[in-house]
C-alpha cells in the first residue's frame, strides 16, 4: 500500500507553505500529495488559500517523482470542458503524474461568498454525471465529439494536442446509490472518505459487482482512501493528548475511521486498511507547517510499507 498526504488548500495554505510541503513530501519518500479544491472553510475565520489548479501547475514542475492531484474539483466551480483541458495540460507538464479528482461540490459558504451558483443535491449530482461524460469524451476521443446535456454540451469538440497518456479520473465518495455507480462507469480510481476498514471492504465489494455488471474489469479501478491522521511521535506524547482531551484512543479514532497513535498504533491501523483492499491511503495533514512531525512519520512508518 502506498502512503501519501492530503492537505486542505483553503486551510492556511500559501505559496511558501505549499512549496515547503511539496519539497518535504518528495524528499521524505511519500508517494503522492493531493489537495482539496475549496475557496474557504465551511465555517470559522477566513484563512490563506491557494487556488487548486494554479498550485497543481506549480507542483508539476516543482516535483519530479510524486503523484499529485485534486481531491476533488467541484464541477460547479469550472466548466468541465475547461477542467479537462487544464487536467490534460498539467498531466503532460508533469510527465504523467496527475490524478484528476472530480466531485459534485458540497460547501454552500464558498459558493455564496464568491458568487458561484449552489444547486440542490440532485442537480449537483446530475451535473457531475454530465461533467464526467464530457471529460471522458474529451480525454479519450481522438476524433471530434458532441454531447447535448441539460447542463453541459459539446459540439464537435476536440482537444489538441492530444493528452500524452490516459489521464486518470478519480471519483471520491462512499455513497452506494450515487457515487459508486458513477465510479463503476467512469473512474480509474475510487476514493472512499473517512470510513472504517470493514465499511471500506463492503463498499469495495459493491464496486466490484457494479463494475462487472458494466463489463469492466474491477481490477482496472484503483482503490484508495482519504482519512485524517493524528500522529504522535511516541507513547508519552500520545498519553498527554489523551489526558488533555480526557478521552480514549478508541474515541479519537471514531470507530476506526481516522488514524491516531504513535508509530506502532499507526502501523497497525494502516495494515488494517491495507488488508481491506486499500491500495493507497491519503493521510489528511491538517497543519502544513508541521514538517518535523512529517519527518518523524517518514522515518518510523513509511519503511514498513514502501521498503
Amino acid at each position: 500500500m502506498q502512503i501519501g498526504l492530503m492537505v486542505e488548500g483553503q486551510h492556511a495554505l500559501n505559496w511558501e507553505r505549499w512549496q515547503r510541503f511539496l519539497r518535504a513530501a518528495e524528499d521524505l519518500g511519500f508517494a503522492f500529495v493531493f489537495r482539496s479544491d475549496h475557496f474557504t472553510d465551511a465555517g470559522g475565520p477566513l484563512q490563506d488559500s491557494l487556488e487548486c489548479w494554479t498550485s497543481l501547475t506549480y507542483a508539476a514542475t516543482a516535483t519530479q517523482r510524486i503523484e499529485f492531484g485534486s481531491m476533488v474539483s467541484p464541477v460547479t466551480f469550472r466548466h468541465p470542458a475547461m477542467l479537462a483541458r487544464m487536467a490534460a495540460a498539467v498531466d503532460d507538464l508533469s510527465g504523467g503524474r496527475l490524478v484528476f479528482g472530480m466531485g459534485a461540490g458540497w460547501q454552500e459558504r464558498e459558493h455564496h461568498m464568491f458568487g458561484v451558483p449552489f444547486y440542490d443535491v440532485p442537480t449537483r449530482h446530475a451535473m457531475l454525471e454530465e461533467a464526467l461524460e464530457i471529460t471522458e469524451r474529451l480525454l479519450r476521443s481522438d476524433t471530434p465529439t458532441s454531447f447535448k446535456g441539460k447542463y453541459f454540451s459539446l459540439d464537435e469538440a476536440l482537444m489538441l494536442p492530444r493528452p500524452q497518456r490516459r489521464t486518470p479520473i478519480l471519483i471520491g465518495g462512499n455513497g452506494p446509490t450515487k457515487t459508486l455507480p458513477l465510479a463503476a462507469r467512469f473512474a480509474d480510481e475510487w476514493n472512499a472518505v473517512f470510513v472504517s476498514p470493514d465499511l471500506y471492504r463492503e463498499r469495495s465489494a459493491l464496486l466490484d459487482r457494479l463494475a462487472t455488471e458494466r463489463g469492466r474489469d474491477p481490477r482496472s479501478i484503483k482503490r484508495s482512501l482519504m482519512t485524517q491522521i493524528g500522529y504522535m511521535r511516541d507513547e508519552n506524547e500520545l498519553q498527554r493528548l489523551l489526558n488533555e482531551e480526557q478521552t480514549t484512543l478508541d474515541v479519537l479514532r471514531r470507530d476506526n475511521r481516522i488514524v491516531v497513535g504513535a508509530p506502532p498504533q499507526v502501523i497497525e491501523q494502516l495494515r488494517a486498511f491495507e488488508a481491506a483492499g486499500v491500495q493507497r491511503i491519503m493521510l489528511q495533514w491538517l497543519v502544513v507547517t508541521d514538517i518535523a512531525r512529517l519527518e518523524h512519520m517518514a522515518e518510523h512508518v513509511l519503511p514498513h510499507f514502501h521498503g
Side-chain angles (χ1 to χ4, degrees):
M1 183 176 67
Q2 290 183 318
I3 311 294
L5 303 165
M6 185 271 180
V7 298
E8 298 291 344
Q10 77 288 358
H11 198 162
L13 192 66
N14 55 34
W15 280 117
E16 180 183 358
R17 291 168 180 170
W18 181 234
Q19 291 163 349
R20 187 183 181 205
F21 194 86
L22 286 173
R23 285 197 302 270
E26 180 145 284
D27 292 346
L28 293 172
F30 290 93
F32 48 82
V33 172
F34 282 76
R35 55 146 300 172
S36 64
D37 188 355
H38 286 299
F39 300 161
T40 183
D41 283 325
L46 298 179
Q47 302 181 75
D48 286 352
S49 173
L50 278 184
E51 195 280 322
C52 179
W53 284 92
T54 307
S55 72
L56 294 180
T57 305
Y58 172 82
T61 55
T63 62
Q64 287 75 49
R65 176 187 59 80
I66 58 173
E67 287 187 289
F68 58 91
S70 53
M71 187 63 201
V72 291
S73 284
V75 297
T76 51
F77 286 175
R78 311 169 190 87
H79 193 285
M82 180 58 65
L83 265 178
R85 290 178 61 86
M86 292 158 61
V90 173
D91 192 29
D92 286 353
L93 182 64
S94 72
R97 293 182 290 120
L98 174 83
V99 178
F100 180 18
M102 299 178 65
W106 61 268
Q107 192 203 116
E108 186 173 2
R109 183 193 193 194
E110 63 190 350
H111 286 77
H112 288 169
M113 182 177 290
F114 289 96
V116 179
F118 186 71
Y119 306 102
D120 60 25
V121 172
T123 299
R124 281 181 277 130
H125 276 289
M127 291 173 68
L128 176 59
E129 184 171 2
E130 288 188 13
L132 287 164
E133 179 72 40
I134 280 179
T135 300
E136 184 174 67
R137 293 186 184 209
L138 288 174
L139 292 179
R140 313 299 187 228
S141 176
D142 292 330
T143 58
T145 183
S146 297
F147 174 81
K148 183 65 175 178
K150 184 176 180 181
Y151 306 100
F152 306 113
S153 62
L154 299 174
D155 184 11
E156 293 295 294
L158 178 65
M159 285 199 336
L160 294 174
R162 298 299 303 140
Q164 295 174 12
R165 67 154 187 164
R166 181 187 173 97
T167 303
I169 296 171
L170 177 150
I171 297 176
N174 313 322
T177 61
K178 297 289 186 181
T179 301
L180 286 175
L182 287 179
R185 181 179 173 188
F186 294 108
D188 299 290
E189 180 171 344
W190 165 64
N191 183 270
V193 183
F194 296 113
V195 297
S196 68
D198 288 342
L199 185 56
Y200 189 93
R201 187 180 288 107
E202 175 187 315
R203 292 290 192 264
S204 185
L206 174 58
L207 181 58
D208 286 347
R209 295 194 296 272
L210 293 170
T212 300
E213 290 170 2
R214 295 199 66 87
R216 292 189 65 185
D217 182 352
R219 294 171 297 180
S220 69
I221 305 173
K222 183 174 288 188
R223 312 302 166 98
S224 60
L225 170 75
M226 195 280 282
T227 191
Q228 190 180 125
I229 184 167
Y231 183 78
M232 304 294 110
R233 282 167 284 204
D234 54 39
E235 296 289 344
N236 290 333
E237 193 172 56
L238 175 59
Q239 191 57 53
R240 284 197 300 270
L241 173 66
L242 297 177
N243 292 340
E244 290 170 3
E245 298 290 333
Q246 296 184 336
T247 187
T248 66
L249 187 57
D250 288 339
V251 171
L252 287 180
R253 287 175 171 176
R254 302 176 195 170
D255 297 324
N256 289 321
R257 291 186 291 116
I258 67 173
V259 177
V260 181
Q265 292 93 1
V266 167
I267 292 167
E268 180 184 18
Q269 278 194 281
L270 294 178
R271 288 295 186 202
F273 282 116
E274 185 178 43
V278 177
Q279 295 173 294
R280 61 175 172 187
I281 189 164
M282 305 171 187
L283 299 176
Q284 186 187 44
W285 200 258
L286 292 178
V287 183
V288 294
T289 56
D290 191 354
I291 303 300
R293 198 177 298 271
L294 204 63
E295 292 171 344
H296 192 278
M297 185 168 72
E299 180 180 356
H300 295 278
V301 174
L302 286 192
H304 292 267
F305 297 90
H306 292 178

